[in-house]
Amino acid sequence: MTLQIREATPADAMLLNALGYRIYRAHFEHLWESESELESFLASEYSLGELEQSLKEQAVCWYVAETDRPIGFAKVTYESSITDTNMSGMLLNKLYLDPADTRKGYGQVMFYTIKELARARGKDFVWLEVLEHNERAYNFYRKQGMTLIKSTYFKTASQQSVIRIMGALSSE
């Protein structure tokens, strides 16, 4: 089935809300020790208010991935710096697919599209963050030419997770 990737509009806030909560939970709920912290995180990322605000930002863009139905999404920040480095470029904040639609080549198409968007905007560097526990995503991005830049931490009141920061030239 053909994958279509389109820029999200403010009218997609409810769709992104539903996809975000459902897909994030499916992939990462097991990593959270505290249900209340998970709920707080989800609200900070995917509540209607947050999405409506994010969809208005000039420096941020959301994309919806669809076949015969919406199956995933991506979010990019056009210019973002990596903390404690002199590196900056386009940040791929999120690239998520419904678990039923992984391993079908859609992630690769989405990632290639993101790199094309970076080049079209004159960005020669793309970077992202991957949870250390997400080996599948880490290996996927390595296969796409991304390299490990550094590791950092994501901390909540009850837990700490290692985040791997990866990057690549958009032309690679």
Side-chain angles (χ1 to χ4, degrees):
M1 193 163 287
T2 303
L3 181 69
Q4 300 294 320
I5 301 169
R6 64 173 177 83
E7 187 172 332
T9 69
D12 290 309
M14 287 186 70
L15 172 62
L16 290 168
N17 168 267
L19 287 171
Y21 273 85
R22 183 172 52 78
I23 293 173
Y24 187 90
R25 278 186 180 284
H27 287 292
F28 303 112
E29 184 173 35
H30 68 281
L31 298 175
W32 288 83
E33 294 174 15
S34 166
E35 179 67 24
S36 65
E37 287 179 358
L38 170 60
E39 288 301 323
S40 179
F41 174 80
L42 289 169
S44 73
E45 296 289 317
Y46 302 113
S47 70
L48 279 176
E50 288 294 325
L51 288 165
E52 288 166 350
Q53 183 63 38
S54 183
L55 286 162
K56 292 178 188 174
E57 292 181 34
Q58 294 292 324
V60 173
C61 195
W62 289 79
Y63 296 90
V64 176
E66 301 172 313
T67 55
D68 59 336
R69 61 185 168 69
I71 64 164
F73 59 93
K75 175 186 176 187
V76 300
T77 301
Y78 292 120
E79 185 61 37
S80 184
S81 298
I82 300 173
T83 305
D84 298 327
T85 74
N86 62 354
M87 304 171 89
S88 67
M90 190 163 90
L91 168 61
L92 175 54
N93 303 81
K94 305 174 187 317
L95 190 159
Y96 294 145
L97 284 167
D98 187 297
D101 293 293
T102 60
R103 300 183 188 256
K104 295 181 179 179
Y106 296 146
Q108 190 168 12
V109 171
M110 290 175 70
F111 186 75
Y112 177 79
T113 300
I114 297 302
K115 287 177 75 173
E116 286 291 310
L117 291 165
R119 282 194 289 275
R121 289 191 165 258
K123 305 296 178 193
D124 60 358
F125 183 71
V126 176
W127 67 280
L128 52 84
E129 298 176 344
V130 177
L131 282 169
E132 180 182 54
H133 295 301
N134 194 351
E135 275 303 313
R136 198 163 123 198
Y138 179 72
N139 290 329
F140 167 80
Y141 290 120
R142 282 186 45 230
K143 289 178 185 171
Q144 307 312 309
M146 306 285 285
T147 58
L148 179 65
I149 295 169
K150 69 177 198 168
S151 293
T152 188
Y153 297 96
F154 172 76
K155 297 177 185 178
T156 68
S158 68
Q159 69 187 75
Q160 173 176 291
S161 299
V162 174
I163 302 288
R164 294 172 172 162
I165 297 176
M166 303 178 77
L169 296 175
S170 60
S171 60
E172 292 180 346

